[in-house]
Amino acid sequence: MATSGNKNINAKLVLLGDVGAGKSSLVLRFVKGQFIEFQESTIGAAFFSQTLAVNDATVKFEIWDTAGQERYHSLAPMYYRGAAAAIIVYDITNQTSFERAKKWVQELQSQGNPNMVMALAGNKADLLEARKVAAEEAQAYAQENGLFFMETSAKTASNVNDIFYEIAKRLPRVQPLPNPSGMVLADRPAERAASASCCS
Amino acid sequence: MENSDVFLGLHDFLERMRQPGAADFVKSIKSFIVSFSNHVPDPERDSAAVQEFLAKMEADFRAHPLWAGCSEEELDSAGEGLEKYVMTKLFTRVFASLPDDVKQDEQLSEKMALIQQFIRPENLDIKPAFQNETSWLLAQKELQKINMHKAPRDKLVCILNCCKVVTNLLLNASIASNENPPGADEFLPVLIYVTLKANPPQLHSNLLYIQRYRRESRLVSEAAYYFTNMQSVESFISNIDAKALSMDESEFEKNMESARALLSGLSTDLENQSNPSDHLIGHAPGAETMDPRHQALNVSKEPALRPKSSESRPRTKVATLNPKDQLSFNKVPSLSDLENKGAELLSKEDRVSQVFKEYPYLFAHAGDLTINDVEDLLNSYKELVLKYVCLSKGLGVSAPSIPPFNSQTKVQQNAETTNKQEDTRAADPNDESIKDTGRTEVYSTTNKQEDTRAADPTDESIKDTGRTDVYSDRVPLIDVENSESQLAQEEAVAPQGGKVEETSQ
């Protein structure tokens, strides 16, 4: 859910995509600014948070990774429930992963939060010679379905920050509702701020 | 030290509840708890009532002179203390209070008990580089502690600890094997595997309880993520079928039948014993002090497990463990028990020689053997040892040594010592690997501290200032002091989340 207050926005972002498409590498690149050689021992493996300053607001992403294997597909609704944003990741060198991505898009469109900001990421864009999915094809698909599209590379960092910034910009800016407890402390607004309208 | 701050914060809270100014709070808390004894359980309504009450009290704390000038942390501790206090009082009323939930717990537990017998990491897409069954035992133990606590937060901590252990093991494995850093693709399958092997007591009810009674404003962010994972684990396990494990329908059914037969043999033995230490599944009175060692062995903590009577009698080899033919043992069956059982059955066989037809060397003399037989024999030997060791592990018998054939003496291994050995055997290698890398941090939920604590001041204080006499009689006293060690320990989780943010900015 996206919660806001004092232009601080808390946004749950869910990562969907086939196993091996590079979901976790992408988010690690975004969160840590580096690929592979992360040494931070305390960092988690599947949940991350990262704050971005965008124009007039600060967006704190809470990033939920999901298991991409087909056998876990039916569990996904538990993860994307209440998400303000989703990145659907596929591997440009793997046609099957693109087909899976389309399935995710369809599912989110029918089951997800209607205000969810959706991004389609064609990852491993550095592996041009092995490309199987044309950028034009994905772009056209994204346009038809009202999501935005970028080719990314967790390896070279190409477009990684950009995709998160773009999502942050598109998040609906909800006016903070009056706080029921009647007091908002400036340093910890998020937890007590009222929820924005998201599905459950 | 955050830990000591939190510790002091809760002390402050308890101190404040003793003060005359807190009398109204004490009264409100008491009457809220008493109000629960007047109606039948209704999870939706009860959950909403508790959430609303906690929220209101927290807001009142914030506005009250008792907390004037206090830090957010102290107010937070006060809220935690309140949640723990209230929920410990209400626990017996609201935990697994519906017959349907109890039934689901039983079904889930039975399913896990069966599937854990044959599941392999590969069935869940756990890559070899990330497989580490020995160390996973550590994660299993965290999960098995869940019924040692009554407060929603403390139960949640068990889940978070388990997830942290899994995460850290995955990170270590990825570095050691130069794999890409792990994500949910790796994490969820291991969590499922660990949960299946742990078969934590009353998993369904515990998850519902946490969801309903953990203060909503605290079940957010990382805690919410890991809790959701645990819910999805429950969902996956209750829906496990052949396809979910990439097995043939027939293979899956065969495995399930074998598991049923095995467990029916074991449970019949267990029914014959009247060992009170086996009543571990339920939240029995005094379960808070339950020794986690008892939980180490799944076979020994499933006394209630029985195969469905409607099932046709399994026709697999294990079916010879038909309960009627069994000797009755006054202990958990060890390998030697099974061996003796088998020997007895064998002696009743009409054509014993037929049985041994597959083993040509059994009746051979040394002089009969040729050099070419050596390789054959060696291979058979290796296979035999592997099988024996695996079976021993499977039964939880430590340090297997092949007993003399046809031994008539039963090795005396009761559940207690078996568990103990299992425990130490499992823990040592883990500890080492953790220390070496310094990565895995387990937020210990040890009871030692708690046990040795003196009587709790809160209850005293409430009695001192208390004006509702009904209260102390109707609601059992709780050890609120317990929450301190818990609070202090779980705070160790928080800086981690904090670090993620810090380092990422």
Side-chain angles (χ1 to χ4, degrees):
Chain A
M1 88 184 81
T3 55
S4 60
N6 289 359
K7 294 188 178 175
N8 287 312
I9 300 170
N10 257 21
K12 173 175 164 181
L13 184 153
V14 65
L15 287 170
L16 299 165
D18 205 359
V19 61
K23 295 185 297 292
S24 44
S25 299
L26 195 70
V27 69
L28 266 181
R29 177 56 114 167
F30 170 58
V31 171
K32 302 288 297 166
Q34 56 186 322
F35 184 71
I36 304 273
E37 309 91 345
F38 72 108
Q39 299 294 330
E40 188 61 57
S41 61
T42 54
I43 204 162
F47 174 89
F48 300 92
S49 70
Q50 172 70 297
T51 307
L52 281 183
V54 185
N55 301 334
D56 54 335
T58 307
V59 176
K60 184 185 173 198
F61 280 118
E62 288 179 354
I63 304 168
W64 291 38
D65 195 4
T66 61
Q69 294 93 333
E70 187 69 48
R71 72 177 87 242
Y72 304 120
H73 187 110
S74 63
L75 304 173
M78 304 175 97
Y79 294 83
Y80 62 67
R81 183 171 52 208
I87 301 182
I88 298 121
V89 186
Y90 70 92
D91 170 359
I92 68 158
T93 70
N94 181 332
Q95 182 69 35
T96 316
S97 74
F98 184 56
E99 299 309 320
R100 286 272 334 259
K102 289 183 190 169
K103 267 202 214 166
W104 285 121
V105 172
Q106 279 165 15
E107 182 172 332
L108 287 180
Q109 281 170 339
S110 59
Q111 316 281 331
N113 161 21
N115 301 318
M116 191 187 288
V117 178
M118 277 192 263
L120 181 65
N123 197 30
K124 308 198 185 175
D126 52 295
L127 300 176
L128 280 176
E129 66 284 2
R131 175 190 289 278
K132 293 282 183 335
V133 183
E136 296 73 24
E137 185 189 354
Q139 179 67 58
Y141 177 81
Q143 243 159 19
E144 281 164 31
N145 289 276
L147 45 154
F148 75 92
F149 165 70
M150 282 184 188
E151 287 201 341
T152 56
S153 167
K155 192 170 181 183
T156 67
S158 157
N159 274 345
V160 172
N161 284 349
D162 310 62
I163 201 165
F164 284 92
Y165 270 102
E166 189 58 34
I167 291 171
K169 277 192 256 172
R170 289 175 186 232
L171 285 173
R173 300 290 191 269
V174 188
Q175 290 303 311
L177 299 170
N179 191 300
S181 67
M183 202 189 309
V184 177
L185 297 184
D187 58 336
R188 300 185 64 192
E191 270 135 66
R192 276 180 302 280
S195 299
S197 57
C198 282
C199 63
S200 63
Chain B
M1 289 284 291
E2 278 101 342
N3 289 0
S4 55
D5 286 350
V6 169
F7 189 82
L8 290 173
L10 188 63
H11 257 303
D12 280 355
F13 169 66
L14 298 177
E15 283 297 321
R16 286 190 177 93
M17 294 306 279
R18 278 205 194 90
Q19 292 175 20
D24 284 346
F25 287 139
V26 172
K27 202 173 162 188
S28 305
I29 296 169
K30 283 177 179 180
S31 64
F32 177 73
I33 292 168
V34 169
S35 75
F36 257 73
S37 53
N38 299 329
H39 61 247
V40 290
D42 174 347
E44 293 303 316
R45 185 195 54 204
D46 293 350
S47 161
V50 167
Q51 294 286 349
E52 191 188 340
F53 177 74
L54 295 178
K56 183 182 171 301
M57 291 297 284
E58 280 179 34
D60 289 351
F61 287 170
R62 188 173 288 278
H64 197 275
L66 274 175
W67 276 274
C70 279
S71 65
E72 282 296 317
E73 284 70 28
E74 282 169 300
L75 280 161
D76 207 46
S77 297
E80 291 287 7
L82 177 70
E83 178 190 304
K84 174 154 184 158
Y85 188 83
V86 169
M87 289 320 298
T88 308
K89 298 282 190 193
L90 297 179
F91 182 79
T92 46
R93 258 173 213 292
V94 299
F95 184 83
S97 54
L98 300 183
D100 266 4
D101 291 341
V102 174
K103 200 174 147 203
Q104 284 207 52
D105 280 330
E106 282 166 7
Q107 285 171 347
L108 189 64
S109 177
E110 180 173 336
K111 191 156 192 190
M112 290 193 281
L114 293 174
I115 290 169
Q116 68 175 210
Q117 305 292 328
F118 60 85
I119 185 105
R120 300 289 317 139
E122 297 78 25
N123 298 131
L124 298 169
D125 295 314
I126 302 171
K127 283 190 258 176
F130 289 108
Q131 294 176 13
N132 189 348
E133 298 208 45
T134 323
S135 297
W136 290 342
L137 287 172
L138 200 62
Q140 290 167 31
K141 281 190 182 146
E142 295 301 322
L143 218 45
Q144 284 164 340
K145 290 177 188 164
I146 200 161
N147 268 9
M148 291 164 62
H149 309 281
K150 288 182 178 171
R153 173 218 170 91
D154 298 342
K155 287 176 176 292
L156 181 63
V157 168
C158 295
I159 291 173
L160 297 182
N161 283 342
C162 170
C163 292
K164 287 284 173 188
V165 172
V166 170
T167 297
N168 287 325
L169 290 170
L170 287 172
L171 285 168
N172 290 343
S174 77
I175 291 164
S177 61
N178 274 326
E179 287 272 340
N180 279 337
D185 290 345
E186 286 74 33
F187 174 76
L188 182 66
V190 175
L191 191 63
I192 292 171
Y193 190 85
V194 160
T195 307
L196 276 169
K197 290 287 182 177
N199 195 350
Q202 294 172 290
L203 181 61
H204 174 72
S205 288
N206 274 305
L207 295 181
L208 282 180
Y209 177 76
I210 293 167
Q211 184 173 37
R212 286 168 183 158
Y213 300 107
R214 174 65 175 150
R215 182 87 177 81
E216 284 163 334
S217 63
R218 297 196 176 90
L219 191 51
V220 292
S221 195
E222 193 170 30
Y225 176 74
Y226 286 124
F227 182 67
T228 300
N229 271 283
M230 206 62 220
Q231 288 179 309
S232 81
V233 167
E234 189 208 348
S235 167
F236 182 83
I237 292 174
S238 34
N239 292 314
I240 278 186
D241 54 12
K243 188 168 163 261
L245 301 179
S246 304
M247 281 183 183
D248 291 340
E249 202 71 53
S250 58
E251 187 192 0
F252 180 76
E253 281 310 317
K254 204 186 92 195
N255 284 331
M256 289 293 270
E257 289 211 348
S258 303
R260 275 185 203 111
L262 179 66
L263 288 176
S264 85
L266 296 178
S267 70
T268 312
D269 285 349
L270 284 155
E271 274 160 27
N272 292 336
Q273 70 180 24
S274 52
N275 184 354
S277 73
D278 274 316
H279 302 300
L280 298 172
I281 293 186
H283 245 300
E288 290 266 314
T289 54
M290 189 164 70
D291 188 337
R293 279 182 287 126
H294 292 297
Q295 296 196 335
L297 265 183
N298 287 311
V299 282
S300 66
K301 77 180 173 80
E302 292 296 338
L305 194 105
R306 243 163 257 116
K308 289 191 186 116
S309 51
S310 58
E311 296 292 335
S312 59
R313 170 137 312 154
R315 267 164 290 150
T316 53
K317 272 187 253 172
V318 200
T320 52
L321 297 180
N322 188 329
K324 280 183 220 152
D325 304 332
Q326 279 172 15
L327 306 167
S328 77
F329 297 114
N330 293 321
K331 54 187 162 42
V332 173
S334 65
L335 273 186
S336 356
D337 296 332
L338 294 174
E339 183 190 332
N340 290 335
K341 207 183 302 178
E344 182 151 317
L345 291 173
L346 202 56
S347 65
K348 291 176 190 157
E349 286 262 348
D350 294 336
R351 293 177 300 169
V352 177
S353 56
Q354 282 296 108
V355 179
F356 291 108
K357 219 176 161 186
E358 289 175 61
Y359 313 101
Y361 298 109
L362 192 65
F363 303 107
H365 297 280
D368 303 339
L369 300 176
T370 69
I371 195 75
N372 295 330
D373 295 331
V374 171
E375 192 180 348
D376 218 14
L377 270 171
L378 188 62
N379 284 337
S380 301
Y381 171 80
K382 285 175 181 171
E383 200 178 314
L384 189 66
V385 169
L386 273 177
K387 206 162 252 181
Y388 183 78
V389 170
C390 289
L391 283 170
S392 302
K393 292 243 174 196
L395 277 171
V397 180
S398 67
S401 61
I402 297 174
F405 194 60
N406 281 341
S407 161
Q408 295 302 312
T409 56
K410 292 171 189 166
V411 179
Q412 293 298 319
Q413 279 168 311
N414 60 30
E416 177 77 358
T417 53
T418 311
N419 282 344
K420 253 183 210 162
Q421 289 164 348
E422 172 78 4
D423 228 24
T424 45
R425 185 186 58 76
D428 290 346
N430 295 339
D431 286 347
E432 268 172 44
S433 70
I434 286 151
K435 274 174 202 152
D436 285 347
T437 55
R439 274 166 176 277
T440 306
E441 293 166 39
V442 184
Y443 312 107
S444 164
T445 48
T446 171
N447 266 342
K448 266 182 204 157
Q449 263 179 300
E450 299 175 6
D451 292 343
T452 54
R453 279 190 193 280
D456 56 282
T458 304
D459 276 310
E460 261 178 49
S461 77
I462 286 180
K463 271 184 214 153
D464 288 346
T465 56
R467 292 159 202 174
T468 341
D469 295 332
V470 198
Y471 166 75
S472 53
D473 289 331
R474 301 204 64 155
V475 193
L477 301 181
I478 66 152
D479 188 356
V480 167
E481 286 273 307
N482 279 358
S483 65
E484 290 178 5
S485 54
Q486 288 305 319
L487 283 168
Q489 281 155 8
E490 206 219 357
E491 274 314 302
V493 178
Q496 291 218 326
K499 261 181 202 162
V500 176
E501 286 163 54
E502 278 165 34
T503 53
S504 61
Q505 280 168 10

